[in-house]
Each structure stands twice: as structure tokens, then as C-alpha cells.
Amino acid sequence: MTLSQLKKQLIVFFIIASTFVNAQTKYKSVLQSEADFNALKTNPITNKYGNVDALKVAFDIKDNKLYFINSKTFKYHFNFCKGYLEIPENIKQFNSANYKAQHPNKRFLLGNINHYLADDSYNLELSPIDEMQIEDIKIFYEAIQKATYFKTFNFFLNTSRLEKLKSVLQIPTQSASDLYGNQTYQAVSTHKSYGCLKFVSVDSLKHNNISKYDIIVIDQPILELPITAGVITTILQTPLSHISVLGKNRQIPIAAYTKAMQSDILKGFDNQYVSFEVAMDTFYIKPISKEQFERKTKKKKKDILFLEKNTTVKTLINADDLNSKLVNTVGGKAANFGVLYDLAKNNNFKVPESAFAIPFYYYEAHLKASGADRMVKDMIYNYRINQDKNVLTEQLKAIQKTIKKTPIDPDLITKVEAKIIEIGDFKRMRFRSSTNAEDIVGFSGAGLYDSKTGIVGDSIKTIEKAIKKVWSSLWYERAFLEREYFNIDQNSIAMGVLVHRSFPNEKANGVAITKNLYRKQYLGNVINVQLGEASVVQPEDGVTCDQIICYSGSSSKLYNDKRIVEIISHSNLNNGELVMSEAEIIHLSEQLEKIKKHYYYNVYKSKKKYLDFGLDIEFKLMDEDRKLYIKQVRYFND
């Protein structure tokens, strides 16, 4: 039995034994021991950090009384104040009065006490919308400190507003980066699978020594996620890293556990069949027999997904003529760029200039001229019959080599260079992959294909080389296997190219998801941003980025009026300061909401609830005036 299983059984026993007592206990005025805390605690409403227990607390200013609320019974502070203290206000009046700095009807100081199990510390955390002033924060903190057994008790600086108050608060505080860095556990993708647990190295991943039925434990950065049954990594992940996005898209369990390599329990399961489940506060490993494994992983017949491709359009397509219906002609990235291009005309963001698309026709023509089309068909047939990954690797490399060594039709190069000169003053251009198996509902294709730079008139970074490298990336092994995993017909795919000016001088870059990933059915945009050109989606070992939730642009007046920037972690490349200013973050969030509304109502016409609908959006801040550019948008598959 694992520690997590033992913990689960003890929790069940405790709940059964204490149900009657808890039903009678509405609150406590004093917490004398951890048992008192545990009797009232519950899971936090938001899942920003792993291994956290939470308890609601309220200080009645009128009666000078402290309430440690039974958080199992009362989900929100309002429920307790209305149900037990019988306040007359409705929830709107309650929030309006008590989350303001000053209000004639303000009666309560409200917060959560979070117990971080990794270091056995306790923090007082306010709602991000709370404008509680300095003196009230001190009163609240000191009242709790006097009434509890806590040895380590800090005030959590969870917003940019509170970070600015640190020097004047004169109470122990903790920053978001401290909490993020102190985590030992993080749920990356909450699913369940069955497979063989293996401790592996990055070299094993590179040499195809991993099967789709392996659950891997690894302590090095993974830049490409192979097809596996699950992952336990010792490195904390941002929710927008390629690993996180691909894991959620594949619906496989992924957890970050910093002590995995020291865990004797995990080592005891090495090379054994197990079930692996990732939950928000822990993960579960259970040994299973080979027969159970074979029964659970028995291949179910899936329908083959045939993608539409139109190879009849023989002209380059200007950005103004791109739209969401052209996925089968220019690919998902270029089609979505057309939507952004139109939105930028009437909103306060820019898109990369001098943009146009090279449609599928030219890729298909090059494939036929080079003979790579026959190689592709042979390779697909061979893999279906033999499933030999070593042979597949060599065949894919041969296809890529053939595409790159065959000269492109000179007429295309002439057209591309003429188009670049015709529509702008930029000669350094970015050539970006845009396939019909990318940026679509059900398949993100994050990190599968390549983008390359080409410069008009340059003898080294030529336009021809850039185009051929992008085309050939369609047949990277990681891309082929990802499509195979989703049962996409490999004969139905094609590569278009989105072309626009390159960005050699970016001040910041980032990725945003237009939904709250930490609290279901709740407003908020999750923003990950990094200094300069440092990668957000494939960070180097030990590098963290700014992780932020911003609520501006939403339909909630309560949030919008307060211009809130909630912080989860800081970039460690920027001396503990936010990479973007508050004003820049709020402006970005407002633009994200406008893009989301357009896609929700006009492009996807989604049947999802609005708060559950998300887009994955890449952005940059450019030049000395830090202009906001929206570079890419795609459906967020989770």
C-alpha cells in the first residue's frame, strides 16, 4: 500500500468517525491543535498549488469576534454569515460591502487559512478582489495568530496590490514565488491510466526506448513528450507548457513530484504493471497483474479521422483574405490568423505585419516533384503492417531529406519574394507551420512542427530553405506519432505556411488561456509571460515564468472595477519583478476577452458554457514602446 492509499483510508475513517461532531460544529473561536484545524478544513476553492488544506475564517468587526468556519459545511463566507449569523444582506450586497477597503456597511474581515503540507506552514490569504487596507490586515492577522497553534504563519501576498504593501505591513509575509518553489507536488493532468512504471533518462526518450504503455519517471526537462501512458516528473510545470497542453489533449495522467527519485515506494514499482491516477492533491500508484493490464489496455477500435485538404488554390493568400473557413486550404494557424487580422482592425492590439499564406497546393506539388509522395504512401503502409518504430524513424528521415534536397519550383520563390516586397518594408520573415492537423478542435498539435526564418536576398537564411524546412517538419517522428495516437489518417494531412515579419527585438513573450484553469466555471484569464525571447512553453531547467490570473475584461463589475492581477509565480529572470506592468497585464486581459467572445459566438459557436470555453493565445510585447502583438490563437483542448 502506498502512503497516498494509507492517507486516503485514514481520511475515510476520520470522516466516518467525526461526521456527527462536524455536523454540530459550525465554527471554532480558537484552534488549539492540528486536530481542530483538520475538523474544519476542506480543499481550497482554487487549485493554484498542490498539497494544500484550506479553512475559511471571518473576523466580525462589530462584535470583535473571530470565527474559524466549518468549511465542509459552509462553502463560502457568505453562506456562514447568512446561515449562522443571520445577516440581512444578499450576496451582492455582502460582497460589495465586505470586500471594499471602506464601506458604511462593512462588518467582516474575510480570508482563508491555507495549510501547505510540503513545509507545514500556514498562510492567511485574502480573496483577490478584497481591497482590505493595511490596518485591517494587521488586525486580522494578529487576531488569528493569537487564537491558533501555528508555528509558521505568514500573510500571502497573492496580488500585485499586496506586493506593493509588503514593506509597510510589518507582519511576516510570503510571496507567490516562495510558495510555488516550495511545492513538492503538482497535478499537471488529472487522469488515470495503466502501464509499466519505468525510471528513465532523456536519452531513453531520444532512442525510442519508450512504449505507449510505459508510465515514465524522469528528473530532466522533457522538450518533447513521447507517446506514453503517463508521466511523473521532478520538475514543476506551467499549465501552458507543451507537456501540460499535450498531456491534457491526450488525456493521460501527468504529475510533478520533486521527490520522485528519492521515493522508495515508487522505486518498488519500477518495471512493474501499475494503475496510475493523478488527483489534485496527490497521486495513486497501485500494482496490477499482467492480466489486468492487458484487459485495461485492450485496444478499442477507433474511427479513422480523415481531414479535409484543398489543393486547388494556386495563389498566395493575403492576410486580409484569410478566414476560419480556410483550414482545409492553408491550415489552422493561417486560418486563425485571418480572424485575428480582422479583429485587430477594431481593437487595441496588433498582429505581425506583412502577412500572407502559402496554401497546400505548393506543398503537394513539391511532394510530387521530389518523389516524396510515393515515399509517404509506402511509409504509411509499412507502419500499418509492421509497427516497427526503428524502420519508421529511418523512413521519416528519408522523406524529410528528400523534401529538403529537392529544389522548389522557382516560380514559387519569385512569387513569395515579390509578395514580401509588395506588402511591406520587412525582409526578415518568419515562415510558420500551418497544417490541417494543427490548432483545431480536438488536436492542438502544440510543438509538433517547425517555424523558420528566411531573409530576402540572404545567401544563408534563404526563403527556399525556410519553406522546405517547414514543409519537411510535417514528417517529424513526434508529429507522425501524435497524429497516429489520435487516429488521424496520415494521407489526409498537408502543410501550408503562414508568413509574416519576424520579431528580433521582443521585450516579453507569453501564452494565455482564456479560461480559469484553477477554478472550474469561474472567470479569469491565465497568463504565463517571460522576459525577452526566453521560452514559456519549453523553459530551460530551473527557469520559471510569471504565472498570473487576470479578471479584467470579464462581465463582472466587481472584478473589473478593481483591476486585479493575481500572482501564482514570478519569473526568476527578472529580479522578482513582474515582466509586464499591471497596466500591460490588464490591457492584455481586456483584449483576450474580446477575442474570446468573437470566437465563442462567431467562429466556433460553442455549446460549452462561456466560462468553460478557452482559447490558447500567444502574444508579444515589442520594441521600446512595448506594443502588444497577438501572434496566434487556437482552440484550447482540455
Side-chain angles (χ1 to χ4, degrees), residues 15-42:
I15 289 172
I16 293 171
S18 60
T19 297
F20 178 77
V21 175
N22 285 340
Q24 304 302 313
T25 306
K26 307 296 184 190
Y27 74 92
K28 289 180 181 288
S29 298
V30 176
L31 298 179
Q32 295 181 326
S33 67
E34 190 171 345
D36 285 348
F37 182 93
N38 290 341
L40 305 175
K41 74 176 185 182
T42 188

PDB file of all heavy atoms in Angstrom, residues 15-42:
ATOM      1  N   ILE A  15     -13.508  10.717   8.582  1.00  0.00           N
ATOM      2  CA  ILE A  15     -14.781  11.327   8.177  1.00  0.00           C
ATOM      3  C   ILE A  15     -15.953  10.573   8.796  1.00  0.00           C
ATOM      4  O   ILE A  15     -16.888  11.176   9.319  1.00  0.00           O
ATOM      5  CB  ILE A  15     -14.894  11.348   6.643  1.00  0.00           C
ATOM      6  CG1 ILE A  15     -13.908  12.378   6.075  1.00  0.00           C
ATOM      7  CG2 ILE A  15     -16.304  11.687   6.188  1.00  0.00           C
ATOM      8  CD1 ILE A  15     -13.794  12.347   4.560  1.00  0.00           C
ATOM      9  N   ILE A  16     -15.891   9.233   8.752  1.00  0.00           N
ATOM     10  CA  ILE A  16     -16.973   8.427   9.319  1.00  0.00           C
ATOM     11  C   ILE A  16     -17.099   8.676  10.815  1.00  0.00           C
ATOM     12  O   ILE A  16     -18.183   8.864  11.360  1.00  0.00           O
ATOM     13  CB  ILE A  16     -16.735   6.922   9.051  1.00  0.00           C
ATOM     14  CG1 ILE A  16     -16.844   6.653   7.542  1.00  0.00           C
ATOM     15  CG2 ILE A  16     -17.713   6.051   9.820  1.00  0.00           C
ATOM     16  CD1 ILE A  16     -16.411   5.265   7.132  1.00  0.00           C
ATOM     17  N   ALA A  17     -15.932   8.709  11.501  1.00  0.00           N
ATOM     18  CA  ALA A  17     -15.931   8.855  12.951  1.00  0.00           C
ATOM     19  C   ALA A  17     -16.377  10.231  13.416  1.00  0.00           C
ATOM     20  O   ALA A  17     -16.896  10.391  14.513  1.00  0.00           O
ATOM     21  CB  ALA A  17     -14.528   8.553  13.497  1.00  0.00           C
ATOM     22  N   SER A  18     -16.171  11.228  12.573  1.00  0.00           N
ATOM     23  CA  SER A  18     -16.415  12.598  13.042  1.00  0.00           C
ATOM     24  C   SER A  18     -17.600  13.279  12.368  1.00  0.00           C
ATOM     25  O   SER A  18     -17.832  14.455  12.578  1.00  0.00           O
ATOM     26  CB  SER A  18     -15.163  13.443  12.812  1.00  0.00           C
ATOM     27  OG  SER A  18     -14.840  13.471  11.450  1.00  0.00           O
ATOM     28  N   THR A  19     -18.353  12.522  11.558  1.00  0.00           N
ATOM     29  CA  THR A  19     -19.458  13.143  10.823  1.00  0.00           C
ATOM     30  C   THR A  19     -20.451  13.818  11.752  1.00  0.00           C
ATOM     31  O   THR A  19     -20.868  14.952  11.538  1.00  0.00           O
ATOM     32  CB  THR A  19     -20.192  12.091   9.964  1.00  0.00           C
ATOM     33  OG1 THR A  19     -19.297  11.580   9.008  1.00  0.00           O
ATOM     34  CG2 THR A  19     -21.400  12.705   9.270  1.00  0.00           C
ATOM     35  N   PHE A  20     -20.820  13.111  12.835  1.00  0.00           N
ATOM     36  CA  PHE A  20     -21.817  13.668  13.750  1.00  0.00           C
ATOM     37  C   PHE A  20     -21.296  14.923  14.433  1.00  0.00           C
ATOM     38  O   PHE A  20     -21.980  15.940  14.527  1.00  0.00           O
ATOM     39  CB  PHE A  20     -22.199  12.621  14.805  1.00  0.00           C
ATOM     40  CG  PHE A  20     -23.198  13.160  15.805  1.00  0.00           C
ATOM     41  CD1 PHE A  20     -24.545  13.282  15.449  1.00  0.00           C
ATOM     42  CD2 PHE A  20     -22.792  13.559  17.070  1.00  0.00           C
ATOM     43  CE1 PHE A  20     -25.463  13.795  16.365  1.00  0.00           C
ATOM     44  CE2 PHE A  20     -23.710  14.064  17.974  1.00  0.00           C
ATOM     45  CZ  PHE A  20     -25.045  14.180  17.631  1.00  0.00           C
ATOM     46  N   VAL A  21     -20.027  14.859  14.881  1.00  0.00           N
ATOM     47  CA  VAL A  21     -19.423  16.011  15.560  1.00  0.00           C
ATOM     48  C   VAL A  21     -19.359  17.209  14.613  1.00  0.00           C
ATOM     49  O   VAL A  21     -19.727  18.332  14.965  1.00  0.00           O
ATOM     50  CB  VAL A  21     -18.006  15.667  16.065  1.00  0.00           C
ATOM     51  CG1 VAL A  21     -17.342  16.900  16.667  1.00  0.00           C
ATOM     52  CG2 VAL A  21     -18.075  14.547  17.088  1.00  0.00           C
ATOM     53  N   ASN A  22     -18.905  16.963  13.380  1.00  0.00           N
ATOM     54  CA  ASN A  22     -18.764  18.052  12.417  1.00  0.00           C
ATOM     55  C   ASN A  22     -20.098  18.683  12.072  1.00  0.00           C
ATOM     56  O   ASN A  22     -20.188  19.875  11.819  1.00  0.00           O
ATOM     57  CB  ASN A  22     -18.086  17.552  11.143  1.00  0.00           C
ATOM     58  CG  ASN A  22     -16.596  17.352  11.342  1.00  0.00           C
ATOM     59  OD1 ASN A  22     -16.019  17.909  12.267  1.00  0.00           O
ATOM     60  ND2 ASN A  22     -15.983  16.549  10.488  1.00  0.00           N
ATOM     61  N   ALA A  23     -21.150  17.862  12.035  1.00  0.00           N
ATOM     62  CA  ALA A  23     -22.463  18.389  11.702  1.00  0.00           C
ATOM     63  C   ALA A  23     -22.928  19.396  12.752  1.00  0.00           C
ATOM     64  O   ALA A  23     -23.671  20.318  12.452  1.00  0.00           O
ATOM     65  CB  ALA A  23     -23.467  17.247  11.587  1.00  0.00           C
ATOM     66  N   GLN A  24     -22.468  19.201  13.999  1.00  0.00           N
ATOM     67  CA  GLN A  24     -22.861  20.103  15.074  1.00  0.00           C
ATOM     68  C   GLN A  24     -21.963  21.325  15.179  1.00  0.00           C
ATOM     69  O   GLN A  24     -22.365  22.364  15.678  1.00  0.00           O
ATOM     70  CB  GLN A  24     -22.821  19.341  16.418  1.00  0.00           C
ATOM     71  CG  GLN A  24     -23.670  18.081  16.453  1.00  0.00           C
ATOM     72  CD  GLN A  24     -25.130  18.351  16.145  1.00  0.00           C
ATOM     73  OE1 GLN A  24     -25.716  19.271  16.696  1.00  0.00           O
ATOM     74  NE2 GLN A  24     -25.705  17.579  15.251  1.00  0.00           N
ATOM     75  N   THR A  25     -20.725  21.210  14.698  1.00  0.00           N
ATOM     76  CA  THR A  25     -19.739  22.288  14.851  1.00  0.00           C
ATOM     77  C   THR A  25     -19.819  23.242  13.678  1.00  0.00           C
ATOM     78  O   THR A  25     -19.403  22.923  12.579  1.00  0.00           O
ATOM     79  CB  THR A  25     -18.315  21.706  14.950  1.00  0.00           C
ATOM     80  OG1 THR A  25     -18.273  20.743  15.993  1.00  0.00           O
ATOM     81  CG2 THR A  25     -17.298  22.805  15.226  1.00  0.00           C
ATOM     82  N   LYS A  26     -20.358  24.425  13.911  1.00  0.00           N
ATOM     83  CA  LYS A  26     -20.441  25.434  12.861  1.00  0.00           C
ATOM     84  C   LYS A  26     -19.135  26.210  12.743  1.00  0.00           C
ATOM     85  O   LYS A  26     -18.758  26.631  11.646  1.00  0.00           O
ATOM     86  CB  LYS A  26     -21.582  26.414  13.143  1.00  0.00           C
ATOM     87  CG  LYS A  26     -22.931  25.757  13.397  1.00  0.00           C
ATOM     88  CD  LYS A  26     -23.422  25.022  12.175  1.00  0.00           C
ATOM     89  CE  LYS A  26     -24.826  24.467  12.427  1.00  0.00           C
ATOM     90  NZ  LYS A  26     -25.267  23.551  11.367  1.00  0.00           N
ATOM     91  N   TYR A  27     -18.469  26.404  13.881  1.00  0.00           N
ATOM     92  CA  TYR A  27     -17.221  27.179  13.892  1.00  0.00           C
ATOM     93  C   TYR A  27     -16.483  26.914  15.190  1.00  0.00           C
ATOM     94  O   TYR A  27     -17.026  26.324  16.137  1.00  0.00           O
ATOM     95  CB  TYR A  27     -17.519  28.682  13.749  1.00  0.00           C
ATOM     96  CG  TYR A  27     -18.101  29.303  14.999  1.00  0.00           C
ATOM     97  CD1 TYR A  27     -17.272  29.898  15.958  1.00  0.00           C
ATOM     98  CD2 TYR A  27     -19.475  29.274  15.246  1.00  0.00           C
ATOM     99  CE1 TYR A  27     -17.795  30.442  17.123  1.00  0.00           C
ATOM    100  CE2 TYR A  27     -20.005  29.815  16.400  1.00  0.00           C
ATOM    101  CZ  TYR A  27     -19.166  30.403  17.325  1.00  0.00           C
ATOM    102  OH  TYR A  27     -19.688  30.926  18.498  1.00  0.00           O
ATOM    103  N   LYS A  28     -15.259  27.351  15.248  1.00  0.00           N
ATOM    104  CA  LYS A  28     -14.489  27.401  16.486  1.00  0.00           C
ATOM    105  C   LYS A  28     -13.935  28.813  16.632  1.00  0.00           C
ATOM    106  O   LYS A  28     -13.637  29.480  15.650  1.00  0.00           O
ATOM    107  CB  LYS A  28     -13.335  26.391  16.468  1.00  0.00           C
ATOM    108  CG  LYS A  28     -13.764  24.930  16.570  1.00  0.00           C
ATOM    109  CD  LYS A  28     -12.551  24.001  16.546  1.00  0.00           C
ATOM    110  CE  LYS A  28     -12.971  22.536  16.612  1.00  0.00           C
ATOM    111  NZ  LYS A  28     -13.476  22.151  17.944  1.00  0.00           N
ATOM    112  N   SER A  29     -13.781  29.255  17.858  1.00  0.00           N
ATOM    113  CA  SER A  29     -13.198  30.574  18.125  1.00  0.00           C
ATOM    114  C   SER A  29     -11.689  30.488  18.309  1.00  0.00           C
ATOM    115  O   SER A  29     -10.982  31.491  18.181  1.00  0.00           O
ATOM    116  CB  SER A  29     -13.821  31.189  19.377  1.00  0.00           C
ATOM    117  OG  SER A  29     -15.198  31.386  19.200  1.00  0.00           O
ATOM    118  N   VAL A  30     -11.215  29.276  18.627  1.00  0.00           N
ATOM    119  CA  VAL A  30      -9.795  29.048  18.855  1.00  0.00           C
ATOM    120  C   VAL A  30      -9.404  27.726  18.203  1.00  0.00           C
ATOM    121  O   VAL A  30     -10.184  26.770  18.225  1.00  0.00           O
ATOM    122  CB  VAL A  30      -9.481  28.988  20.373  1.00  0.00           C
ATOM    123  CG1 VAL A  30      -8.014  28.664  20.614  1.00  0.00           C
ATOM    124  CG2 VAL A  30      -9.842  30.295  21.055  1.00  0.00           C
ATOM    125  N   LEU A  31      -8.212  27.691  17.620  1.00  0.00           N
ATOM    126  CA  LEU A  31      -7.649  26.441  17.110  1.00  0.00           C
ATOM    127  C   LEU A  31      -6.481  26.062  18.000  1.00  0.00           C
ATOM    128  O   LEU A  31      -5.425  26.694  17.957  1.00  0.00           O
ATOM    129  CB  LEU A  31      -7.184  26.600  15.657  1.00  0.00           C
ATOM    130  CG  LEU A  31      -8.241  26.959  14.611  1.00  0.00           C
ATOM    131  CD1 LEU A  31      -7.595  27.089  13.232  1.00  0.00           C
ATOM    132  CD2 LEU A  31      -9.362  25.917  14.571  1.00  0.00           C
ATOM    133  N   GLN A  32      -6.669  25.027  18.810  1.00  0.00           N
ATOM    134  CA  GLN A  32      -5.640  24.655  19.787  1.00  0.00           C
ATOM    135  C   GLN A  32      -4.679  23.603  19.257  1.00  0.00           C
ATOM    136  O   GLN A  32      -3.595  23.423  19.814  1.00  0.00           O
ATOM    137  CB  GLN A  32      -6.306  24.147  21.074  1.00  0.00           C
ATOM    138  CG  GLN A  32      -7.117  25.218  21.787  1.00  0.00           C
ATOM    139  CD  GLN A  32      -7.749  24.707  23.060  1.00  0.00           C
ATOM    140  OE1 GLN A  32      -8.141  23.531  23.151  1.00  0.00           O
ATOM    141  NE2 GLN A  32      -7.856  25.579  24.063  1.00  0.00           N
ATOM    142  N   SER A  33      -5.044  22.942  18.176  1.00  0.00           N
ATOM    143  CA  SER A  33      -4.195  21.872  17.642  1.00  0.00           C
ATOM    144  C   SER A  33      -4.530  21.637  16.176  1.00  0.00           C
ATOM    145  O   SER A  33      -5.534  22.138  15.664  1.00  0.00           O
ATOM    146  CB  SER A  33      -4.424  20.576  18.427  1.00  0.00           C
ATOM    147  OG  SER A  33      -5.748  20.105  18.191  1.00  0.00           O
ATOM    148  N   GLU A  34      -3.700  20.833  15.544  1.00  0.00           N
ATOM    149  CA  GLU A  34      -3.950  20.498  14.148  1.00  0.00           C
ATOM    150  C   GLU A  34      -5.248  19.710  14.005  1.00  0.00           C
ATOM    151  O   GLU A  34      -5.923  19.789  12.977  1.00  0.00           O
ATOM    152  CB  GLU A  34      -2.774  19.697  13.571  1.00  0.00           C
ATOM    153  CG  GLU A  34      -2.850  19.514  12.067  1.00  0.00           C
ATOM    154  CD  GLU A  34      -1.593  18.913  11.471  1.00  0.00           C
ATOM    155  OE1 GLU A  34      -0.543  18.883  12.152  1.00  0.00           O
ATOM    156  OE2 GLU A  34      -1.655  18.485  10.300  1.00  0.00           O
ATOM    157  N   ALA A  35      -5.614  18.977  15.038  1.00  0.00           N
ATOM    158  CA  ALA A  35      -6.882  18.238  15.000  1.00  0.00           C
ATOM    159  C   ALA A  35      -8.057  19.201  14.879  1.00  0.00           C
ATOM    160  O   ALA A  35      -9.033  18.922  14.173  1.00  0.00           O
ATOM    161  CB  ALA A  35      -7.020  17.371  16.252  1.00  0.00           C
ATOM    162  N   ASP A  36      -7.974  20.341  15.577  1.00  0.00           N
ATOM    163  CA  ASP A  36      -9.022  21.362  15.450  1.00  0.00           C
ATOM    164  C   ASP A  36      -9.101  21.873  14.016  1.00  0.00           C
ATOM    165  O   ASP A  36     -10.193  22.038  13.457  1.00  0.00           O
ATOM    166  CB  ASP A  36      -8.741  22.543  16.391  1.00  0.00           C
ATOM    167  CG  ASP A  36      -9.051  22.230  17.844  1.00  0.00           C
ATOM    168  OD1 ASP A  36      -9.687  21.187  18.109  1.00  0.00           O
ATOM    169  OD2 ASP A  36      -8.657  23.018  18.720  1.00  0.00           O
ATOM    170  N   PHE A  37      -7.942  22.164  13.422  1.00  0.00           N
ATOM    171  CA  PHE A  37      -7.901  22.646  12.033  1.00  0.00           C
ATOM    172  C   PHE A  37      -8.487  21.602  11.097  1.00  0.00           C
ATOM    173  O   PHE A  37      -9.327  21.905  10.236  1.00  0.00           O
ATOM    174  CB  PHE A  37      -6.457  22.972  11.644  1.00  0.00           C
ATOM    175  CG  PHE A  37      -6.304  23.523  10.254  1.00  0.00           C
ATOM    176  CD1 PHE A  37      -6.306  24.887  10.017  1.00  0.00           C
ATOM    177  CD2 PHE A  37      -6.149  22.671   9.154  1.00  0.00           C
ATOM    178  CE1 PHE A  37      -6.173  25.409   8.734  1.00  0.00           C
ATOM    179  CE2 PHE A  37      -6.004  23.175   7.871  1.00  0.00           C
ATOM    180  CZ  PHE A  37      -6.024  24.548   7.665  1.00  0.00           C
ATOM    181  N   ASN A  38      -8.059  20.343  11.275  1.00  0.00           N
ATOM    182  CA  ASN A  38      -8.494  19.277  10.378  1.00  0.00           C
ATOM    183  C   ASN A  38      -9.988  19.009  10.470  1.00  0.00           C
ATOM    184  O   ASN A  38     -10.611  18.566   9.503  1.00  0.00           O
ATOM    185  CB  ASN A  38      -7.719  17.992  10.665  1.00  0.00           C
ATOM    186  CG  ASN A  38      -6.265  18.089  10.240  1.00  0.00           C
ATOM    187  OD1 ASN A  38      -5.909  18.952   9.433  1.00  0.00           O
ATOM    188  ND2 ASN A  38      -5.417  17.229  10.777  1.00  0.00           N
ATOM    189  N   ALA A  39     -10.576  19.259  11.642  1.00  0.00           N
ATOM    190  CA  ALA A  39     -12.011  19.037  11.809  1.00  0.00           C
ATOM    191  C   ALA A  39     -12.843  20.011  10.987  1.00  0.00           C
ATOM    192  O   ALA A  39     -13.995  19.726  10.652  1.00  0.00           O
ATOM    193  CB  ALA A  39     -12.380  19.161  13.289  1.00  0.00           C
ATOM    194  N   LEU A  40     -12.247  21.155  10.623  1.00  0.00           N
ATOM    195  CA  LEU A  40     -12.979  22.201   9.907  1.00  0.00           C
ATOM    196  C   LEU A  40     -12.533  22.383   8.465  1.00  0.00           C
ATOM    197  O   LEU A  40     -13.225  23.012   7.674  1.00  0.00           O
ATOM    198  CB  LEU A  40     -12.819  23.549  10.635  1.00  0.00           C
ATOM    199  CG  LEU A  40     -13.199  23.601  12.119  1.00  0.00           C
ATOM    200  CD1 LEU A  40     -12.867  24.974  12.680  1.00  0.00           C
ATOM    201  CD2 LEU A  40     -14.675  23.286  12.304  1.00  0.00           C
ATOM    202  N   LYS A  41     -11.393  21.860   8.106  1.00  0.00           N
ATOM    203  CA  LYS A  41     -10.758  22.147   6.816  1.00  0.00           C
ATOM    204  C   LYS A  41     -11.501  21.497   5.661  1.00  0.00           C
ATOM    205  O   LYS A  41     -12.318  20.586   5.831  1.00  0.00           O
ATOM    206  CB  LYS A  41      -9.320  21.647   6.824  1.00  0.00           C
ATOM    207  CG  LYS A  41      -9.241  20.119   6.726  1.00  0.00           C
ATOM    208  CD  LYS A  41      -7.839  19.589   6.628  1.00  0.00           C
ATOM    209  CE  LYS A  41      -7.882  18.065   6.421  1.00  0.00           C
ATOM    210  NZ  LYS A  41      -6.553  17.475   6.366  1.00  0.00           N
ATOM    211  N   THR A  42     -11.157  21.964   4.456  1.00  0.00           N
ATOM    212  CA  THR A  42     -11.631  21.346   3.224  1.00  0.00           C
ATOM    213  C   THR A  42     -10.588  21.595   2.141  1.00  0.00           C
ATOM    214  O   THR A  42      -9.508  22.129   2.426  1.00  0.00           O
ATOM    215  CB  THR A  42     -13.000  21.916   2.808  1.00  0.00           C
ATOM    216  OG1 THR A  42     -13.511  21.164   1.708  1.00  0.00           O
ATOM    217  CG2 THR A  42     -12.896  23.364   2.390  1.00  0.00           C
TER     218      THR A  42
END
